[in-house]
Amino acid sequence: MTTNITKHVQYPFNMMAKPIGPLCNLDCEYCYYLKKEKLFSHCGRSEFRMSDEVLRRYIQQYIASQPENTPEVIFGWQGGEPTLLGVEYFEKVLRLQKKYNQRNIVIRNALQTNGTLITDEMARFFKNNEFLIGVSIDGPEKLHDRYRKDRSGKGSFSSVMAGLEKLKRYDVDFNTLTVVQNDNSNYPVEVYQFLKEIGSRYLQFIPIVEPPLPASKRIAGKRSVDPLMWGKFLVSVFQKWIATDIHGISVQHFDVTLGQYLNMPSALCVHSKYCGKALVIEHDGNIYNCDHFVNPENYAGNIMKDDLADIVSSDKQVAFGMNKYDGLPQECLKCPYLPLCYGGCQKDRLVGGKNWLCDGYRYYYEKTFPVFSAMAQAVKYHRLPSEFRNFLRLTPEVMKQTGRNEPCPCLSGKKFKNCHGKNL
């Protein structure tokens, strides 16, 4: 085992930890990670818990290998179901983080959970230690229970809601992660309204794209969201959000899209030009290129014998990330929406190298282009994105056609009878 832990990676990177591996108390039909248990067939179920030695080494190296002048380090805990480990395990995590934070970096913890095992003790712990909790929930009971079932085949909705109520009771910061599949994709407004009603103010929507059916390498599995339905789902949610909730609710996809219109780096690896800076560490210390690529060919190293900085900076890891753009087909490279999409996630490229969700993303970008362009103009004039209506007629394309290069005069504080903003 190497002992040098003073190396720094030259760029920021993240690592998702799976301290309980793929073990989970639920049996969600579309879960790709439950199947990873076969990868660790040498392990008994009791051996999936990340050992103290691996945990210590991981925390020590993850902090130490961050770039110089790093303001904060975010530890992401996922599974499987990480709450199976109990409060004591994460108390140990905090002690180790404190011990090895010799650079006095801000340390934050985020934990993704199905919510069914959250107790009052756990909720208090999360609150007292400022954990951000992501709760997986797919919509109202009928939609959620379609695929998210427990080991006996019973829907998990009531248990998730009980856990969520505990988080709310102790004022724990939480967001929601909603998987969009072939069923709930037909009810975008209902799903969105429900998430609002349960108190979510930061929403993430994750499209399900299952591996190809055995008979074809070009068709995603049966629970996968239809490509065009994915686009229509996003647009329907966007229309509702823009009409009523732009001030108070954050939707990850919309935040990312606006950032790209402002020429900011994508905050979501799915729509970055390159990836490879978000690795995953398993319970046994094995590190893989990405949590969607936990398989032998994407093995990157082991924390107990390799230096983390070397793994992150390795030729293999860099090549994996570069392939996100370099591996795109010519059709993608000619697409007008390439700077927004960048081919999506590599795992979803099922159709000759093109993303399964391509038609959906194209639909979403086409329908929302005017509003996002106007939002970007508003921000450039030091206005809130919610003031986009004053800029709808002053997108770059419109200004080019009309010869105007300034926003509506009323934005200067003057009053004009025929202000175009009033008529939008």
Side-chain angles (χ1 to χ4, degrees), residues 175-176 192 200-205 241 245-256:
N175 57 42
T176 51
Y192 178 69
S200 180
R201 293 297 176 264
Y202 186 85
L203 285 58
Q204 299 178 62
F205 295 108
W241 174 79
D245 302 311
I246 188 172
H247 289 293
I249 291 181
S250 174
V251 180
Q252 185 185 52
H253 265 90
F254 307 157
D255 293 344
V256 169

Side-chain angles (χ1 to χ4, degrees), residues 1 29 46 68 95 164 170 183 198 233:
M1 182 178 70
E29 291 185 33
S46 62
E68 296 281 1
R95 290 196 297 270
L164 183 60
Y170 291 95
D183 183 27
I198 64 174
F233 181 95

Side-chain angles (χ1 to χ4, degrees), residues 229-273:
M229 286 305 299
W230 168 238
K232 290 183 176 181
F233 181 95
L234 287 177
V235 170
S236 294
V237 172
F238 181 77
Q239 291 171 339
K240 192 70 176 176
W241 174 79
I242 206 73
T244 61
D245 302 311
I246 188 172
H247 289 293
I249 291 181
S250 174
V251 180
Q252 185 185 52
H253 265 90
F254 307 157
D255 293 344
V256 169
T257 303
L258 178 57
Q260 289 170 305
Y261 271 81
L262 293 167
N263 297 316
M264 298 169 60
S266 173
L268 191 63
C269 60
V270 170
H271 298 303
S272 295
K273 186 174 183 178

Side-chain angles (χ1 to χ4, degrees), residues 114-274:
N114 60 41
T116 62
L117 301 177
I118 295 174
T119 62
D120 286 278
E121 178 191 18
M122 194 172 289
R124 281 194 298 268
F125 171 81
F126 290 150
K127 175 62 178 179
N128 292 338
N129 295 285
E130 299 181 333
F131 272 58
L132 173 64
I133 306 300
V135 179
S136 296
I137 188 163
D138 286 359
E141 185 169 8
K142 182 179 179 180
L143 298 178
H144 175 90
D145 284 348
R146 176 69 175 83
Y147 293 124
R148 297 190 67 82
K149 304 180 186 297
D150 63 22
R151 294 281 170 170
S152 67
K154 181 182 177 182
S156 62
F157 180 83
S158 58
S159 297
V160 176
M161 291 302 294
L164 183 60
E165 287 304 313
K166 291 183 177 67
L167 294 178
K168 292 162 68 174
R169 183 184 308 155
Y170 291 95
D171 194 28
V172 178
D173 287 337
F174 75 92
N175 57 42
T176 51
L177 187 153
T178 300
V179 168
V180 181
Q181 20 80 355
N182 67 333
D183 183 27
N184 67 353
S185 60
N186 295 297
Y187 306 94
V189 175
E190 289 89 336
V191 170
Y192 178 69
Q193 287 293 122
F194 169 78
L195 295 174
K196 283 175 52 179
E197 290 169 2
I198 64 174
S200 180
R201 293 297 176 264
Y202 186 85
L203 285 58
Q204 299 178 62
F205 295 108
I206 309 296
I208 273 289
V209 181
E210 293 185 314
L213 298 171
S216 172
K217 294 182 179 180
R218 300 170 64 88
I219 302 176
K222 63 181 181 179
R223 287 170 288 261
S224 303
V225 61
D226 175 81
L228 189 54
M229 286 305 299
W230 168 238
K232 290 183 176 181
F233 181 95
L234 287 177
V235 170
S236 294
V237 172
F238 181 77
Q239 291 171 339
K240 192 70 176 176
W241 174 79
I242 206 73
T244 61
D245 302 311
I246 188 172
H247 289 293
I249 291 181
S250 174
V251 180
Q252 185 185 52
H253 265 90
F254 307 157
D255 293 344
V256 169
T257 303
L258 178 57
Q260 289 170 305
Y261 271 81
L262 293 167
N263 297 316
M264 298 169 60
S266 173
L268 191 63
C269 60
V270 170
H271 298 303
S272 295
K273 186 174 183 178
Y274 300 106

Side-chain angles (χ1 to χ4, degrees), residues 235 256-257 260-261 266 270-273 324-325 328 330-344 349 355 357-373 397:
V235 170
V256 169
T257 303
Q260 289 170 305
Y261 271 81
S266 173
V270 170
H271 298 303
S272 295
K273 186 174 183 178
K324 185 177 187 301
Y325 179 80
L328 287 173
Q330 284 299 310
E331 181 181 354
C332 291
L333 296 177
K334 296 176 182 178
C335 178
Y337 300 110
L338 177 64
L340 299 176
C341 175
Y342 285 118
R349 296 178 183 178
N355 197 298
L357 299 168
C358 177
D359 289 345
Y361 281 124
R362 179 182 289 270
Y363 181 89
Y364 164 64
Y365 294 132
E366 287 177 349
K367 295 296 184 181
T368 60
F369 171 78
V371 175
F372 276 120
S373 295
E397 289 70 22

